[in-house]
Amino acid sequence: MIINRDYYLEKLINRKWNGRIKVITGLRRVGKSFLLFELFRSHLLASGVSEKDIIAIALDRIENEKLRDPMELYKFLKSQIEGKSSRHYVLIDEVQYAISSQELRDRDNPPRLYGVLNSLLAQKNVDVYITGSNSKLLSKDIMTEFRGRGDNIEVFPLSFIEYLSASAKGKEDSFNDYLLYGGLPYTLTLESHEEKAAYLSSLFTEIYFKDIEERYSIEKEYVLSALVDSVYSTIGSFSNVKRLSDSINSSLHLKSNSHVSINTIASYLSYSEDAFLLSNAKRYDVRGKKYFESQRKYYATDLGLRNAKLNFRQIEEPHLMENAIYIYLKQKGFLVDVGVIEKSHVNENGKSERVKYEIDFVVNKGMYQYYIQSAYSLENDEKRRRELYPFSITGNSFKKIVVTSHELRPHYDENGIFHVGIVDFLLGDYLSD
């Protein structure tokens, strides 16, 4: 099954010969290797690049075991490039195999692999692309160890439009599956719920948590698991480290002398975000144009993983819909915040009080800014007023969108608010004007 990832392929094409190392990161099993070795390589060949000028090395394959030694890798690459005037594309998959556990523990010296990759950039006829496991190659590593010459391209799970392109079902049924099983490509090859659930559940125990444990030498895996459960259970709700700490200590029935510390929870939360299991949106004061640091909303980066981790027991469509919108916005490259607007009201006692109103998503990219509400339904006047009122007090004319579970057709209402159903929203392009 070939699923085109045109959005990411275009990113790679636009970055050719930019003098930087293109580093493809993202959640495990999201299709990074396929993007580089199949889609991008096919593009190079179709654009006239000779096969001999594409040096593709998959370090996870046993035949390339010798090349996992950084110096052997460097010698091999030099032998393929030296003395040749033609331009070469170096594609290295799973570069974490060239980073030892001992090098990871050495916080004072970078892994030798980084030196090899930086040295390749000195060759004027070499363009370098790599993928790697987030257990050993983090986005923040790229910024520090590649001396400003790393170009990070984060790949997300399939968008709904990508998912639909490979689905044998119609839009509505495909969307229901997408909310339930998420966007990891392999799930589309599985038939039954049992197969999909088993696959998604196994990723946590066999890959994701092991990645985090290996990177950070975690001893309390049960705490990490409980933390992810807690965040996944409350997607779209404001939270902070203290609240999560209290929740986990309570759910694990830990006595006061064995409580997990707030610092530990903060670290585990950061590790989970580094591993692309979680993502967050900060609270943003729309009028004051500043951030509130006390609380954030957390979302799953893939709904299938979220549902499988909770044993498919918390399938509330309004929350899943909000999470799906968040994922879509991140996939499109937007900066995503939660909007907060304070407004004074006179209460029933005649006293003035400040009331905070929320806009689910305030999104920005370049010159564009949008306000988006996720409202499963607007079934009555009170619900409609509550969902749409925050738009009226923003004090600006940026485009305002309300996404509902079903809408007969996309349209603007009498107040200039754009209404659209979730399926149309995920398949359309309403964020470019």
Side-chain angles (χ1 to χ4, degrees), residues 38-49:
E38 297 294 333
L39 300 180
F40 184 61
R41 185 173 178 276
S42 294
H43 157 77
L44 293 177
L45 293 172
S47 60
V49 177

Side-chain angles (χ1 to χ4, degrees), residues 17 87 107 177 221 238 296 386 407:
W17 299 103
R87 283 182 158 191
R107 302 298 184 186
D177 283 353
E221 181 189 334
F238 282 118
R296 300 181 180 188
R386 187 167 63 250
E407 199 72 50

Side-chain angles (χ1 to χ4, degrees), residues 5 20 52 54 94 102 144-145 155 174 182 205 221 237 261 275 354 372 382 425:
R5 311 297 303 272
R20 304 172 77 185
K52 63 182 177 59
I54 302 173
E94 304 287 4
Q102 182 179 354
T144 56
E145 304 299 351
V155 178
S174 293
T205 56
E221 181 189 334
S237 299
S261 71
R354 302 286 291 179
I372 300 171
E382 174 56 28
F425 180 74

Side-chain angles (χ1 to χ4, degrees), residues 96-105 111-112 136 214:
Q96 73 274 6
Y97 280 89
I99 302 176
S100 70
S101 297
Q102 182 179 354
E103 285 178 314
L104 271 185
R105 290 190 291 269
R112 292 179 298 161
K136 291 185 176 179
E214 181 181 8

